Amino acid sequence: MELTLPAASSPGQDPSAVWSLQLQLLELAEGVLGPRDGSRVMHQPVFADAGPNIRNTPSLDGAFAELSRSAEAYWPTAVYELAHETVHLLNPLPGNGNWLSEGIAVAFSDHAQRCHGMEPQKVGMASYRRAQELVSELPPDPLTAARRIRNACGSLEIATRCILEKLFPSVDPTILAQLCEPFERDWAK
């Protein structure tokens, strides 16, 4: 699936193009990772000082992506961040995710950028690089493995070591255990 971007505007100047991008990325994510939890409403992405992340609605009946101010001005960053957050929007749970969900989100961001004909951005934070390294151990590749995991337990965030050991018996159990641990963001590069 080739994704399309507007030629002239910046993301912050074109909310309808950002929404269109969100829907394209959702279609791509569902095609690769399986369907989104339809019981939750997905809202229009916004740009925020605290982005990128997802924000759940107060009643937990919906969620949306908050993108960074850098993404507000530059389409490649918007694609990268929104693709990452789209993985979390498939099953938007409150709280922090695990190493598995963060690694798959990084892998999907790379995939989405390639679909846009972009060179994938280099992962800045060490913790996200580590998450990407961990999911790269899942056969046959991280995105195919993620779909298997979501088929088995519904959400990457609730995967357990036991489930992962059954799905991937050839992978080092210590890697599988770390994938299920709560993700700890490392703000250092």
Side-chain angles (χ1 to χ4, degrees):
M1 168 183 196
E2 180 150 340
L3 305 173
T4 57
L5 294 174
S9 67
S10 69
Q13 296 172 329
D14 199 341
S16 64
V18 173
W19 181 241
S20 177
L21 175 62
Q22 173 69 92
L23 297 176
Q24 290 176 58
L25 289 169
L26 177 62
E27 182 180 351
L28 181 63
E30 288 183 315
V32 172
L33 302 172
R36 163 179 95 78
D37 175 0
S39 70
R40 308 279 303 276
V41 177
M42 188 174 65
H43 299 282
Q44 171 83 28
V46 300
F47 298 96
D49 293 336
N53 60 343
I54 65 164
R55 178 85 50 202
N56 286 282
T57 58
S59 60
L60 300 178
D61 63 348
F64 56 94
E66 287 184 331
L67 305 179
S68 73
R69 296 295 177 194
S70 296
E72 189 172 26
Y74 189 57
W75 279 110
T77 301
V79 171
Y80 185 84
E81 290 181 7
L82 193 53
H84 183 108
E85 300 310 331
T86 298
V87 171
H88 300 309
L89 288 169
L90 293 174
N91 301 96
L93 302 174
N96 291 335
N98 56 19
W99 288 85
L100 173 66
S101 67
E102 293 300 339
I104 296 302
V106 171
F108 181 72
S109 289
D110 287 354
H111 177 71
Q113 285 193 307
R114 285 188 197 94
C115 288
H116 270 91
M118 301 173 182
E119 186 67 28
Q121 290 185 353
K122 190 170 186 153
V123 179
M125 288 186 206
S127 54
Y128 288 96
R129 286 192 303 271
R130 177 66 180 144
Q132 187 176 30
E133 290 168 6
L134 289 168
V135 299
S136 73
E137 297 293 325
L138 298 174
D141 62 80
L143 299 180
T144 303
R147 186 176 189 108
R148 287 185 66 203
I149 295 164
R150 290 187 77 238
N151 284 341
C153 57
S155 170
L156 299 171
E157 288 81 0
I158 64 170
T160 64
R161 179 181 174 172
C162 183
I163 290 171
L164 295 185
E165 286 176 346
K166 287 178 184 169
L167 293 173
F168 309 105
S170 65
V171 176
D172 181 344
T174 59
I175 289 173
L176 299 177
Q178 185 171 6
L179 285 168
C180 297
E181 292 174 6
F183 180 74
E184 296 178 28
R185 185 180 288 186
D186 170 4
W187 292 102
K189 295 266 178 177

